[in-house]
Amino acid sequence: MVSFDRGLHAVGDDVFAYLQPDGGWGWSNAGLVIGRDEALLVDTLFDLRLTGEMLDAMAGRLAGRPISRVVNTHANGDHCFGNELVPDAEVISSRAAAEEMPGTPPELLDQLVSADLSEPLAGFVKHAFGPFHFDEVTLRPPTLTFDDRLDLDVGGRRVELIEVGPAHTSGDVIAHVPDASTVFTGDILFVGVTPVMWAGPIGNWIAACDRITALGAETVVPGHGPVTGAEGVRRLRSYLEWVRDEATRRFEAGMTATEAARDIDLGAYAGWVDPERIVVTVASVYRELDPSHERPNVVSLIEGMAAYR
Ligand SMILES: [Zn+2]
């Protein structure tokens, strides 16, 4: 049982999870796999200060085995904005994630945080993005991309990068370390934290959960929240099925996406961190049900979540 405390935790032999409670907006997890003479970093963090702190914590474990590669599990900034602090490493992502990455650059988030906003947007932006320092970040994009699957040899250890998106975003990847029975899921998995579906389709995300389960890994490190096992994947999968069914019923009854999100009783999921994300997920489900449903831009989705909250 790995405690949900901020910092580096061993989850296997020379395999580590770096955790950031409470797992809400921007508080993402990362991973480290150390081989004979080199190491793989799974994700960087939302800004340079957090990523620097993480790399300091990892330095003692590396003992001269450099981080030669970084994999960004997807395009969201809380998984790639620290890339510039690993300047000598190859940066790997799916091709779809690399294409999506420039769409929400650190400059955009810095503008949002610095803007003179009115309530409720101001309070929400402060809550979600206020703790981070985007003005210091220069995005370092991936230097190697792949489709579907890429197996790495990390100093004698096999790490399987498996593309399971589009789901949470357009190019989600999980990193499986068979010899440690561990999988780093990026934001395909949230534990005790409400998932947010920017891309979809939701059926792909449910299938991604099944792929993780099929790996049979004992240790599952989510993108947000505490380390888990198969049960954490099952809970997230149940949420996705539930939100799909609730949204579909309201779509068929003629409600708008905004009305549907507000009308759904969160029930057992009310205690998950950041419940307002249901606004984004319902809008994405609506887009699947009605292809003419206009895709709201990120700022209007953020406005919708602020109003919900
Ligand atoms: Zn994330």
Side-chain angles (χ1 to χ4, degrees):
M1 187 62 187
V2 177
S3 65
F4 191 35
D5 294 312
R6 183 189 175 92
L8 196 63
H9 301 261
V11 295
D13 197 12
D14 268 345
V15 180
F16 301 87
Y18 189 83
L19 307 179
Q20 296 195 102
D22 62 354
W25 290 106
W27 300 107
S28 50
N29 299 331
L32 181 68
V33 182
I34 308 177
R36 205 171 38 239
D37 52 0
E38 59 176 342
L40 170 74
L41 179 62
V42 182
D43 281 334
T44 57
L45 304 178
F46 216 0
D47 70 16
L48 302 187
R49 299 182 193 197
L50 295 174
T51 303
E53 204 179 308
M54 174 175 77
L55 292 172
D56 285 347
M58 290 174 170
R61 307 289 187 160
L62 289 169
R65 296 165 293 184
I67 294 172
S68 56
R69 279 168 287 190
V70 178
V71 57
N72 295 137
T73 55
H74 61 289
N76 287 166
D78 53 335
H79 300 264
C80 66
F81 278 1
N83 285 356
E84 68 187 284
L85 291 189
V86 203
D88 299 323
E90 180 103 86
V91 178
I92 305 171
S93 79
S94 69
R95 184 160 56 101
E99 284 168 3
E100 187 177 9
M101 228 172 256
T104 313
E107 296 77 18
L108 182 76
L109 290 176
D110 184 46
Q111 278 166 21
L112 193 62
V113 171
S114 319
D116 187 16
L117 305 168
S118 52
E119 293 299 342
L121 187 57
F124 178 74
V125 167
K126 187 161 180 273
H127 158 73
F129 306 115
F132 310 103
H133 300 271
F134 304 114
D135 55 329
E136 299 169 356
V137 177
T138 307
L139 181 63
R140 179 171 177 246
T143 53
L144 175 69
T145 65
F146 70 98
D147 291 307
D148 189 38
R149 168 102 180 216
L150 181 67
D151 285 1
L152 303 177
D153 179 339
V154 180
R157 306 184 77 160
R158 185 157 57 95
V159 179
E160 303 165 353
L161 304 181
I162 304 166
E163 185 177 25
V164 295
H168 164 67
T169 62
S170 63
D172 307 287
V173 165
I174 60 174
H176 180 217
V177 190
D179 73 24
S181 194
T182 297
V183 57
F184 296 93
T185 66
D187 286 3
I188 290 299
L189 194 61
F190 293 75
V191 175
V193 179
T194 310
V196 53
M197 188 171 78
W198 300 106
I202 201 159
N204 252 11
W205 195 339
I206 291 167
C209 291
D210 292 339
R211 278 186 87 171
I212 292 169
T213 302
L215 294 173
E218 266 167 57
T219 304
V220 181
V221 181
H224 296 260
V227 173
T228 187
E231 73 284 358
V233 185
R234 222 166 18 240
R235 279 197 298 273
L236 193 278
R237 189 187 191 286
S238 298
Y239 176 96
L240 295 173
E241 287 188 319
W242 167 80
V243 78
R244 177 197 62 194
D245 294 347
E246 296 286 330
T248 303
R249 200 171 307 139
R250 287 165 178 81
F251 172 82
E252 284 162 358
M255 285 188 196
T256 67
T258 305
E259 287 165 350
R262 282 173 195 232
D263 189 58
I264 294 171
D265 177 2
L266 296 175
Y269 302 114
W272 285 12
V273 174
D274 295 331
E276 68 277 6
R277 292 169 174 177
I278 195 170
V279 169
V280 178
T281 302
V282 168
S284 296
V285 172
Y286 264 57
R287 213 165 55 236
E288 285 177 45
L289 295 168
D290 174 12
S292 71
H293 186 81
E294 211 174 307
R295 185 192 177 88
N297 65 37
V298 174
V299 173
S300 78
L301 287 172
I302 289 172
E303 284 169 351
M305 288 190 285
Y308 182 96
R309 206 177 158 92

